[in-house]
Amino acid sequence: MGFALRSQLCWRAFLSRSDSTKQYYRSQMPAVGQIFSESSLMAVDLEMTGLDPNSDQILSIGLIPIEKGQLQLSRAEQKLIQINGSVGQSATIHGIVDHQLQAGVSIDSAIEWFLERTRGKLLVAHHSPLDLGFLQVAIKQVTGESIKLLAIDTLALERKRLLRKQDVLKEGTLRLGACRARYGLPVYAAHNALVDALACGELLLAQVAALGDLHQVTVAELCHLS
C-alpha cells in the first residue's frame, strides 16, 4: 500500500507543471511509508459559508501537527480568512461574524500558509472529502494548478469499524462528537476550526490505539482503510 501511494505521488509530481506542486508531492512520498508512531501528520478542519466548494467560501482553517503519535498543541494554528460578501446565515453554525473577518488574511495568504505548513505531512480530517474539496478548489484558484490532497479520514475509519459489527448505521452515528463518545473522549464545542482539528486528531489517536500496536500500523494502511 505504501508503494502504491508513493507511486501515485511520483506520477502526480511528474505531471505537474509547476516546481512548487512537484515539490509538494515529493515531500509527501516519505510520509506515506512511515509507521504511525514515527509519522508526521497534520490534523485539519475548515469552517465555510456552506457545503459547495464551487460557490461557498472558506472562513477559517485550523491546523494541529501530530508528530510521532502525539498532538503538538503548542504548534496549533488557525487563520481567519476574508471573504467576498457576508457570512450570512452560516454564522448561526460556526459563530463567525463579518466584523471578525476584517482582521483575517486573504485566501491567497491562507493557501500559501496551508501549503507551507502541510508540506511533507499527511492530512487528517473528519469527513475529509468536504474539507479537501474546498482546499483543492482554493488551491487551484490561487496557484492556477490542481493539487490532489491525501488524508486519513477519521469518519471513514469509524464507518468501516462499525460496519464490521452491524449492517446499518443510525443517522448521526458518524458525527465527530458521536465518534469521540464511543472512545470516551470529552465533549468539545463544535464548529470551530481549531477545536474540531483537535477533536479529529484526538479521535485518530484513539482509533489507532484500538487497532493495536502503534509501532505496527502504517500511515499507508490508515489511508487505505479510510
Side-chain angles (χ1 to χ4, degrees):
M1 286 178 282
F3 175 79
L5 284 175
R6 285 194 297 273
S7 297
Q8 289 177 24
L9 290 168
C10 184
W11 181 245
R12 288 171 186 158
F14 174 75
L15 294 176
S16 297
R17 299 188 301 273
S18 73
D19 287 341
S20 61
T21 306
K22 289 179 186 291
Q23 291 169 9
Y24 191 85
Y25 284 134
R26 288 169 180 164
S27 74
Q28 292 187 315
M29 290 172 65
V32 297
Q34 294 172 324
I35 58 173
F36 181 78
S37 61
E38 296 296 327
S39 65
S40 184
L41 308 173
M42 185 69 80
V44 59
D45 188 78
L46 275 58
E47 295 301 327
M48 301 84 74
T49 59
L51 299 177
D52 186 347
N54 294 307
S55 59
D56 294 308
Q57 300 176 74
I58 301 173
L59 298 169
S60 64
I61 304 174
L63 297 176
I64 300 182
I66 306 173
E67 300 288 348
K68 297 183 178 181
Q70 295 187 344
L71 284 157
Q72 305 295 305
L73 298 184
S74 64
R75 292 163 56 196
E77 294 181 86
Q78 179 175 222
K79 296 288 186 185
L80 287 176
I81 302 168
Q82 298 171 357
I83 63 169
N84 296 319
S86 170
V87 299
Q89 292 299 311
S90 68
T92 61
I93 297 175
H94 47 67
I96 300 171
V97 294
D98 291 334
H99 74 83
Q100 290 176 295
L101 297 181
Q102 293 174 7
V105 301
S106 67
I107 188 63
D108 294 51
S109 295
I111 290 302
E112 192 174 306
W113 164 79
F114 170 80
L115 292 173
E116 178 188 342
R117 291 293 190 270
T118 60
R119 195 177 304 277
K121 302 178 186 296
L122 262 290
L123 303 176
V124 179
H126 195 75
H127 188 31
S128 65
L130 179 61
D131 290 332
L132 268 56
F134 270 86
L135 287 166
Q136 287 167 170
V137 167
I139 289 169
K140 186 171 184 180
Q141 289 173 347
V142 170
T143 68
E145 187 167 7
S146 299
I147 286 184
K148 178 70 173 177
L149 298 171
L150 282 177
I152 298 168
D153 188 341
T154 51
L155 183 150
L157 284 175
E158 192 67 6
R159 179 193 290 118
K160 286 193 175 181
R161 187 183 76 86
L162 292 175
L163 286 175
R164 286 196 292 267
K165 298 181 178 182
Q166 59 197 78
D167 294 330
V168 179
L169 301 181
K170 294 181 181 178
E171 184 178 352
T173 298
L174 296 174
R175 289 177 182 159
L176 182 55
C179 292
R180 287 173 57 83
R182 284 189 288 275
Y183 293 90
L185 295 170
V187 176
Y188 291 155
H191 302 301
N192 173 285
L194 198 55
V195 173
D196 284 351
L198 171 61
C200 176
E202 288 180 341
L203 176 58
L204 177 66
L205 299 185
Q207 289 173 321
V208 173
L211 287 173
D213 190 348
L214 298 182
H215 300 286
Q216 297 296 325
V217 178
T218 68
V219 170
E221 287 174 316
L222 293 172
C223 286
H224 176 72
L225 287 171
S226 61

